[in-house]
Amino acid sequence: MAQHPGDFEQILVHTGQHYDANMAQVFFDELELPMPDVHLDVSSGSHAALIMPRFEPVVDYSCPGSYLVVR
């Protein structure tokens, strides 16, 4: 998608579930991923209960045609 910027608009959302550098930043660095456009700042607790209310405004604002979820 990054190789075809005129065809796609990407928004990278990071949940923040893994806030330790060894569990988060290392993936961005090693996979050469761009920094997230949106960081939901979810760190602990019931992740689904925290992620969805924080993700919904992102969806409402950006009105995406599709989603790609990487876990």
Side-chain angles (χ1 to χ4, degrees), residues 48-70:
L50 296 173
I51 291 170
M52 294 313 295
R54 294 177 187 188
F55 183 59
E56 186 175 8
V58 175
V59 172
D60 288 344
Y61 177 77
S62 62
C63 299
S66 59
Y67 306 88
L68 174 63
V69 177
V70 180

Side-chain angles (χ1 to χ4, degrees), residues 3-50:
Q3 293 175 355
H4 302 279
D7 297 330
F8 300 97
E9 178 184 355
Q10 301 180 77
I11 299 173
L12 180 57
V13 179
H14 187 285
T15 62
Q17 288 175 263
H18 303 295
Y19 47 89
D20 181 272
N22 290 325
M23 296 199 56
Q25 189 60 46
V26 68
F27 293 110
F28 287 93
D29 293 343
E30 290 184 4
L31 297 173
E32 299 178 3
L33 297 172
M35 293 306 296
D37 299 299
V38 177
H39 197 286
L40 300 181
D41 294 319
V42 174
S43 57
S44 63
S46 174
H47 294 143
L50 296 173

